[in-house]
């Protein structure tokens, strides 16, 4: 009976973790839509997690979807944390990555919760950045965070172009669906990597110039891309890539390894 209970509990957590990947897919699709609107000159919501959750909140049954996202992201964060702490993730580098993912998914859960409660974390982030700018150590820390984000972005591009993401899947769907999923992973990882590199560069620039306004998040990075030469076209491509990454997350929710 204890074994059955344990298996039942594990099955529930696995279902929750897979739901987390599905929620992440929806989130990235919405960010991609907001980024496309930004590229086309629309003054829609912020093209980041906060803006995507706000878009959900304004839709029919938005509160239900947000609460589902909170629970799903917490479940996925707990699964990743357990894998990191127990060693189930694999080697030490894999355990570190699992721990970092747990932090990211928990942060998404907090952001979704803040939106469903009518709060916003944007001002708190700007305040933290401003405080870090007040000391040399803080600017060094902010610069180190920026470098770390750049490294993660470069790895995303590498993971997409080399199809390394296929290792995260048990298998691909058969036929055309499988080819579409593989292409979505290639394009999606590359596009998300580009966006992360821009975010990281902005943090490094902010640390170097002691200007907290430069340390913007994803929305600021996409706006910076839009303002670059040929920016709207490049931003539209990144937006489509983020939508593709969202579609891949949906595939991972069903076929991914946990």
């Amino acid at each position: 009976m204890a074994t059955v209970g344990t298996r039942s509990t594990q099955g529930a957590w696995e279902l929750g973790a897979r739901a987390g990947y599905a929620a992440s897919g929806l989130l990235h699709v919405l960010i991609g839509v907001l980024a496309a609107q930004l590229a086309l000159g629309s003054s829609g919501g912020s093209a980041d997690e906060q803006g995507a959750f706000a878009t959900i909140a304004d839709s029919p049954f938005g509160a239900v979807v947000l609460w589902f996202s909170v629970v799903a992201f917490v479940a996925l964060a707990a699964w990743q944390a357990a894998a990191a702490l127990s060693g189930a993730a694999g080697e030490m580098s894999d355990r570190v990555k699992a721990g970092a993912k747990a932090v990211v998914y928990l942060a998404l859960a907090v952001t979704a919760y803040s939106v469903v409660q009518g709060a916003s974390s944007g001002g708190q982030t700007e305040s933290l950045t401003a405080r870090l700018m007040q000391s040399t150590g803080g600017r060094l820390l902010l610069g180190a965070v920026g470098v770390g984000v750049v490294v993660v972005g470069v790895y995303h591009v590498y993971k997409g172009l080399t199809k390394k993401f296929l290792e995260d899947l048990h298998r691909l769907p058969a036929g055309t669906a499988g080819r579409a999923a593989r292409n979505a992973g290639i394009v999606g990882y590359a596009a998300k990597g580009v966006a992360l590199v821009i975010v990281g560069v902005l943090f490094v620039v902010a640390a170097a110039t002691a200007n907290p306004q430069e340390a913007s998040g994803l929305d600021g990075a996409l706006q910076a891309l839009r303002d670059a030469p040929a920016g709207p076209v490049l931003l539209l491509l990144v937006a489509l890539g983020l939508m593709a990454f969202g579609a891949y997350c949906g595939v991972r929710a069903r076929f991914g390894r946990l």
Side-chain angles (χ1 to χ4, degrees), residues 16 42 52 57 60 64 89 115 122 133 138 152-153 155 170 179 186 227 250 256:
S42 170
V64 174
V115 172
M133 289 295 181
V152 172
Y155 179 73
H170 283 297
R179 290 191 294 272
I186 295 171
D227 296 337

Side-chain angles (χ1 to χ4, degrees), residues 26 39-40 97 107 132 141 164-165 167 171 181 193 196 238:
L26 173 62
L40 297 174
K97 285 191 291 185
L132 287 174
L141 176 60
K164 190 174 178 62
F165 63 87
E167 298 175 5
R171 61 184 177 84
L196 288 174
V238 170

